[in-house]
Amino acid sequence: MTYLTAAETAGKFDALKEAQLVIANGGPSVWGQLRQLLRMALPPKKFEARDYYKYALYRHARNAQVLGEYLSTPRTLAFNLSLHRDPDDSCRKLVNDKLATELFLREKGIPTTRTLALFSLTDRPDGVLHLGDRQALRSYLSDPENYPLFCKPRESSHSIGAARLDGIEPATGKVTFGTGVVGDLDTLVDEIVGTWGAGYLFQEVARNHPVIQRVVGNPTATFRVVTVQSEGGPRHFYSAHKLPSPTAMFDAISKNKRAIGSLDPATGRFNVVRHLPAKGSAPLTHWRDIPEPLSEIAFPFVQEGIDLAIQAHALLPRLGIIGADVYLTEDGPILNELNGNPDHIVYQTVNDRGILNPDMTPLIEETRRYMQARFGNS
């Protein structure tokens, strides 16, 4: 029994199921899909099967220009690295370490989520309660006063290993997860010790602003903001707010449908919302059981969230591009995580077009020129 593998399990790829869905939606036969996949997998595009299905690329099989605008999964790291000037990887290592990022940003005056405790068998950093063995971990999680908690690996991505813990019944050792599922404390402790001994964080649970919570329901949701460096400082590249599956704990990959929506920074209203992944489906007009259209709902602190991501990026000038996950709370935005290798699925999904399009490439090239002029090849 495991409790921390929901995102990993939900993210497993079923090619046969995806192929059947394409056929059901009027797309090519299995053999037609296979022929397209083989052509698209060749350089320079290098599309994986996941890319083909999540972006419904069969729609563009005969349009080389449109296909060329999509950034495939195998090309994403090289694209992001081409915008960095981080020769020893020190900046990327910093943002990959969630605790180090938090402490660094807070020291610089950036509001962040707050880590309450760290379980680690290998490290004991200053500035946070250290849980150094199984007994200390179990004792911490046995105390009802420590809940609720958002917990996640110190170094991981795509929400793998993360969970929200809403409470504990000390007498029975039963933990209540953010989905309402009740689990066994000792089983959870064993899983953390056995899998995440290098570092596992326990944080305060950030609460979405009431306007946002009404839309997303029980799960917690973040605002993804991607920024790029330029002559005048970091600039907003693109952003979108996640709408988690109603049955999830937070906005991770899940078995049930979730969505992503771009917001107008000036008004906080949705421009367009799509399922994530959209797989070629039409934009959404409503979410959950909210009666009014999404286009009529204004999320608060959108521009302030973008500004916060820009402030954080300014502290890391050798990274040409950064993805920031921001919580928009009742008290304003707080920064949750930074990512030096954003996957750009958010942009390509919500806009139903590749990120290497004529509207976006000028800013990409401006960033590349600026980073080269400032840092050279170092």
Side-chain angles (χ1 to χ4, degrees):
M1 179 67 183
T2 60
Y3 299 120
L4 305 176
T5 57
E8 189 173 4
T9 301
K12 288 184 177 178
F13 180 64
D14 187 336
L16 179 59
K17 181 179 178 180
E18 297 293 345
Q20 292 171 338
L21 181 61
V22 169
I23 295 170
N25 288 334
S29 67
V30 171
W31 288 111
Q33 293 176 48
L34 181 59
R35 286 193 296 270
Q36 291 179 357
L37 274 165
L38 290 173
R39 287 197 299 269
M40 293 182 193
L42 296 173
K45 298 180 179 66
K46 299 182 179 179
F47 288 112
E48 294 181 340
R50 286 176 182 265
D51 299 320
Y52 177 83
Y53 290 112
K54 71 188 173 192
Y55 300 129
L57 295 180
Y58 61 87
R59 299 173 298 162
H60 312 302
R62 297 183 181 180
N63 192 327
Q65 179 178 341
V66 171
L67 282 176
E69 292 176 358
Y70 277 88
L71 188 62
S72 64
T73 300
R75 295 168 58 204
T76 299
L77 176 59
F79 169 79
N80 290 328
L81 289 177
S82 75
L83 301 179
H84 297 330
R85 292 298 182 272
D86 185 27
D88 60 358
D89 257 1
S90 58
C91 293
R92 285 188 63 225
K93 289 176 181 175
L94 172 65
V95 298
N96 288 343
D97 184 332
K98 296 175 177 61
L99 179 59
T101 302
E102 174 192 333
L103 297 176
F104 169 75
L105 292 174
R106 194 179 309 136
E107 183 183 6
K108 302 295 184 181
I110 302 291
T112 70
T113 49
R114 184 173 294 273
T115 296
L116 303 173
L118 164 71
F119 168 72
S120 176
L121 300 174
T122 60
D123 192 16
R124 185 170 188 159
D126 295 331
V128 64
L129 175 65
H130 178 241
L131 310 173
D133 55 31
R134 187 188 188 283
Q135 182 178 350
L137 174 62
R138 192 186 190 287
S139 176
Y140 183 80
L141 292 179
S142 297
D143 188 348
E145 295 297 318
N146 292 329
Y147 290 78
L149 292 166
F150 189 84
C151 52
K152 59 187 178 183
R154 183 173 179 176
E155 296 188 28
S156 182
S157 59
H158 302 292
S159 300
I160 292 174
R164 198 182 85 212
L165 309 179
D166 286 352
I168 178 76
E169 176 52 59
T172 61
K174 298 299 181 183
V175 179
T176 301
F177 289 81
T179 55
V181 169
V182 176
D184 178 68
L185 174 60
D186 284 309
T187 302
L188 173 63
V189 168
D190 288 341
E191 185 177 357
I192 295 171
V193 173
T195 308
W196 305 109
Y200 199 76
L201 306 179
F202 298 93
Q203 298 181 325
E204 291 179 345
V205 174
R207 298 296 184 187
N208 291 124
H209 189 284
V211 171
I212 299 174
Q213 189 168 358
R214 176 173 173 266
V215 174
V216 303
N218 176 60
T220 50
T222 55
F223 180 39
R224 167 60 60 89
V225 183
V226 177
T227 52
V228 289
Q229 294 284 2
S230 70
E231 183 71 34
R235 292 176 58 181
H236 178 225
F237 191 37
Y238 66 83
S239 56
H241 205 288
K242 300 173 186 177
L243 302 180
S245 162
T247 60
M249 289 182 277
F250 51 95
D251 54 22
I253 299 171
S254 63
K255 291 183 178 180
N256 299 314
K257 289 185 176 181
R258 57 181 180 147
I260 191 82
S262 63
L263 297 166
D264 182 337
T267 65
R269 295 184 184 275
F270 283 101
N271 294 318
V272 63
V273 181
R274 296 183 192 272
H275 279 127
L276 181 65
K279 302 180 183 180
S281 60
L284 302 171
T285 59
H286 291 75
W287 188 246
R288 298 198 314 122
D289 55 355
I290 305 300
E292 66 266 41
L294 287 166
S295 60
E296 296 180 6
I297 300 172
F299 277 16
F301 299 121
V302 173
Q303 184 60 60
E304 290 86 346
I306 292 170
D307 293 342
L308 184 65
I310 288 172
Q311 292 171 36
H313 195 168
L315 300 170
L316 297 159
R318 282 190 168 271
L319 296 184
I321 187 166
I322 288 181
D325 283 336
V326 179
Y327 284 111
L328 304 180
T329 76
E330 194 166 12
D331 298 319
I334 60 173
L335 203 147
N336 182 41
E337 294 180 4
L338 297 178
N339 187 341
N341 184 34
D343 57 26
H344 308 299
I345 293 172
V346 164
Y347 177 90
Q348 298 189 146
T349 296
V350 76
N351 293 284
D352 197 26
R353 67 188 304 205
I355 199 168
L356 305 177
N357 64 68
D359 295 325
M360 301 297 276
T361 49
L363 188 50
I364 294 169
E365 292 307 315
E366 179 186 342
T367 297
R368 189 171 282 120
R369 288 192 300 270
Y370 166 72
M371 296 297 286
Q372 178 67 24
R374 180 171 180 183
F375 298 109
N377 294 319
S378 63

